Amino acid sequence: MMPSSHAAAQHVPPIPPCAFKGPLRGLKVIDAGTMIAGPLCATHLADFGADVIKIELPGIGDSMRHWAPIKDERSLWWKVIGRNKRLVTLSLSTPRGQDLFKRMVRDADIVVENYRPGTFERWGLGYDVLSKINPKLVFVRVSGFGQTGPYAKRGGYGTIAEAFSGIPSFTGFPDRPPTLPGFPMADSVAATFSAMAAMFAIYSRDQGGSGKGQEIDVSLYEPLFRLAEAQVIGFDQLSIVKERIGNRLAEDSPRNTYRTRDGRWVGISASSQKTYERLARAMGKPELIDDPRYRDNALRCDNADSLDAEISAWFGRHDFAEISAIFEKADVVAGPVFDIRDIFEDPHYAARGNIVAVPDEDFGSVRMQNVAPRFLGTPGEVRHAGRSLGADNREIFVGELGLGETEFLDLQRQGVI
């Protein structure tokens, strides 16, 4: 099933916050970030029912509105990262914009921002100011290198953070350059850690007895560094410097992708003894079980080149469908390398509802990733795709903050909203 063409533009009416579903219903979040890391954090919260108000620069909007892929002069990426949010325009660099922001903060639970450290302080919107307005506020701050340290004021894009984390130094093949991921991994992981941290702070505030919010300092590189697992202790205790060895793991063999006779790729991980023995028998090579080079995982790691050669040769003599049938019958831990076309056609993705069609004001309906993870009691939902710039200005500034019509129009003319 390939992506279908969609209907012409339609009006997507706003859904009132009281109708939101999910475990975070009733939580109010101000997304004052830009690009990916901060806004994606807020999107995670919005997916689970939080009322997220996204702030954008008047007349320009978030930079993600202009990122490819583009259809009919509309960013499809924006449709995903801007989903489920109420949208206002507000210039935080102006005194009147700062005053409106402070009024919005009065009843907010969480503010998320990811500007260069010092920017919000320069605008008079640092945590010292905001916490006096709202002591219960949780202020999540995402930056390249964190709010402190000698590199704090450096610009910190995801690519720089990925390199700084050390991960590319051991990702890729030994005869090729360090490999960066094909998606904004640092931003996405930091966004996930930020959403998690925000909820830790809300729990501390509401259930831990403090009754107070706090400031949270998230860098782009530290969540990746945390995921590097045994790198630090391995160097500390054994002076191990992990190097690039392709798709393998130094601690796990066999672990690689293998090409079938008809050109498909299959990933295998068989480090435990039972999974390895099932693989060897399924390949019709039980002799590999008792081979002194492969009797346990440590030996297989020492002899990974020869073992990979054995497995690769066997894959090259069989088509993908045949291998799939053999492995399924033998309960071998393996799986095909999918591209997005495969994902759209896969029955498991369909059964799990991993791709969902949502209303969109420009294209009628668009499909995107569903909410993750799955809550069986209070599930999140995708209510609508990212909408037009300032779509909720009147609702929020007039309806909720109480601006008069004259003041509202005056702020529009001045470019404050």
Side-chain angles (χ1 to χ4, degrees), residues 75-373:
S75 167
L76 299 180
W77 197 331
W78 166 255
K79 298 295 183 183
V80 182
I81 201 167
R83 73 190 194 186
N84 285 346
K85 300 177 182 180
R86 297 199 289 162
L87 308 176
V88 300
T89 53
L90 185 62
S91 175
L92 298 180
S93 63
T94 65
R96 296 186 75 182
Q98 293 155 11
D99 178 64
L100 285 172
F101 184 77
K102 292 174 183 176
R103 291 167 66 178
M104 293 173 68
V105 163
R106 287 175 186 169
D107 64 346
D109 294 286
I110 300 168
V111 168
V112 183
E113 68 95 358
N114 62 317
Y115 285 81
R116 191 174 296 201
T119 302
F120 267 61
E121 283 74 13
R122 189 173 69 249
W123 291 337
L125 300 174
Y127 182 68
D128 58 335
V129 174
L130 300 183
S131 62
K132 290 177 181 177
I133 297 170
N134 179 0
K136 298 179 69 175
L137 182 70
V138 172
F139 193 24
V140 181
R141 317 193 69 175
V142 189
S143 60
F145 296 94
Q147 302 293 317
T148 62
Y151 304 157
K153 295 298 177 68
R154 291 184 180 180
Y157 285 95
T159 300
I160 309 307
E162 287 153 10
F164 191 68
S165 75
I167 289 177
S169 71
F170 54 84
T171 303
F173 289 86
D175 58 341
R176 300 178 193 177
T179 300
L180 296 168
F183 74 105
M185 181 173 69
D187 294 270
S188 301
V189 173
T192 305
F193 269 64
S194 297
M196 178 176 69
M199 299 319 302
F200 290 167
I202 292 293
Y203 182 88
S204 174
R205 183 193 74 180
D206 295 347
Q207 302 298 325
S210 73
K212 295 182 179 180
Q214 60 183 290
E215 188 175 12
I216 299 173
D217 179 1
V218 182
S219 74
L220 292 181
Y221 80 90
E222 284 169 321
L224 291 179
F225 182 59
R226 174 62 185 88
L227 296 180
E229 294 297 344
Q231 300 305 302
V232 173
I233 197 169
F235 181 77
D236 175 60
Q237 296 296 307
L238 298 170
S239 298
I240 295 172
V241 178
K242 193 169 184 177
E243 298 179 348
R244 297 189 297 282
I245 55 174
N247 291 323
R248 298 176 188 160
L249 283 178
E251 307 84 4
D252 183 352
S253 182
R255 193 259 196 181
N256 213 327
T257 56
Y258 304 91
R259 192 175 189 182
T260 66
R261 182 169 59 187
D262 54 347
R264 295 290 300 274
W265 289 91
V266 177
I268 285 180
S269 179
S271 57
S272 77
Q273 194 60 28
K274 288 185 178 180
T275 56
Y276 172 69
E277 290 179 5
R278 286 199 296 267
L279 171 64
R281 292 191 182 99
M283 292 168 53
K285 289 181 168 291
E287 67 275 12
L288 295 179
I289 297 173
D290 295 323
D291 189 308
R293 296 172 296 174
Y294 313 133
R295 283 179 180 166
D296 59 36
N297 183 62
L299 289 168
R300 290 192 292 273
C301 290
D302 291 339
N303 295 281
D305 286 342
S306 59
L307 182 56
D308 265 349
E310 291 271 7
I311 298 172
S312 294
W314 182 84
F315 266 79
R317 295 193 294 269
H318 300 81
D319 290 340
F320 174 75
E322 180 186 3
I323 290 173
S324 297
I326 291 171
F327 282 179
E328 184 172 357
K329 184 177 180 181
D331 196 23
V332 172
V333 181
V337 176
F338 272 3
D339 63 22
I340 193 62
R341 289 168 296 190
D342 300 318
I343 288 172
F344 263 82
E345 296 171 357
D346 185 76
H348 189 80
Y349 271 88
R352 295 278 293 176
N354 298 137
I355 297 174
V356 62
V358 300
D360 177 67
E361 63 185 12
D362 293 310
F363 306 120
S365 176
V366 292
R367 283 178 283 181
M368 60 182 66
Q369 300 96 319
N370 206 345
V371 176

